[in-house]
Amino acid sequence: MSRELPRSPTAAPIDKPRQAAEEILVNQLKTMTMILAGLLLWGPVSVEADAAAVNLRCEYRRDPMGIDQPSPSLSWEIVADNGPDGGVPRGLRQTAYRVLVASSEKLLAADRGDLWDSGKVESDQSVHVKYEGKPLSPRTACFWKVRCWVAGLNGSSPEATAWSKPARWTMGLGAADDWQAKCLASPDA
């Protein structure tokens, strides 16, 4: 629906192409005004707030048992709800992390890492993060979680993610002294 702009009786007649161009310009200005008003009302949308550490792994496996490394490697991935296909939005990057490792699920739920609390480590590393806590005894169950600080390429300051869902690993029987089995044999042997 086209609406003609009011003209004074003394104004020169406006040609149709010029009038159409002016209407397009007015519509574009209205659209830009609405977008700016929306940004002012709702503020900037935080890409980082939806990010989370997922797919926690110890020695490349999920919740493994029988780990024989005294300082196992821990890994995780960062994803965000607003990324393509629930993945990492373009430009999202980890700037720091904190790992908690506890001897029980209860301690971990209380955010207490009695085996290891890495503290905030300024690093983009999320693969091959070596456990640097207390020495682990054979058969020790370790419960762990991680939180990351992430930022976008738009220069935003890093924001902390929520803690990841807990994961676990169990230490194996590392040294030969820890093996306490007798060989089965025939009494005649």
Side-chain angles (χ1 to χ4, degrees), residues 17-181:
R18 182 175 173 199
Q19 183 178 5
E22 285 177 354
E23 285 181 15
I24 291 172
L25 183 62
V26 168
N27 286 335
Q28 287 176 344
L29 287 173
K30 285 180 184 177
T31 302
M32 288 180 8
T33 303
M34 290 173 54
I35 291 171
L36 286 173
L39 287 174
L40 290 174
L41 287 173
W42 290 292
V45 177
S46 173
V47 170
E48 295 84 2
D50 297 332
V54 298
N55 200 16
L56 277 63
R57 293 180 178 263
C58 175
E59 292 296 319
Y60 310 102
R61 296 179 286 169
R62 291 186 192 181
D63 299 332
M65 297 178 72
I67 296 296
D68 59 357
Q69 298 295 323
S71 292
S73 293
L74 307 175
S75 304
W76 58 87
E77 297 173 11
I78 301 291
V79 297
D81 290 339
N82 49 4
D85 301 322
V88 179
R90 189 170 300 191
L92 186 69
R93 60 189 167 78
Q94 175 184 303
T95 61
Y97 66 84
R98 181 179 175 197
V99 175
L100 289 181
V101 182
S103 58
S104 73
E105 291 176 286
K106 188 175 181 179
L107 284 172
L108 190 65
D111 296 338
R112 291 192 45 224
D114 64 326
L115 297 176
W116 184 40
D117 181 347
S118 70
K120 184 177 179 182
V121 178
E122 301 286 335
S123 171
D124 63 353
Q125 184 178 5
S126 64
V127 178
H128 304 295
V129 174
K130 287 290 187 186
Y131 170 83
E132 295 177 355
K134 294 179 180 176
L136 300 172
S137 303
R139 298 186 200 103
T140 301
C142 302
F143 301 89
W144 71 290
K145 62 184 177 179
V146 63
R147 91 176 323 161
C148 301
W149 281 260
V150 294
L153 287 180
N154 59 1
S156 62
S157 59
E159 294 181 29
T161 65
W163 284 105
S164 66
K165 291 182 180 175
R168 68 178 290 165
W169 82 83
T170 304
M171 295 303 292
L173 299 174
D177 297 343
D178 297 326
W179 292 85
Q180 299 174 4

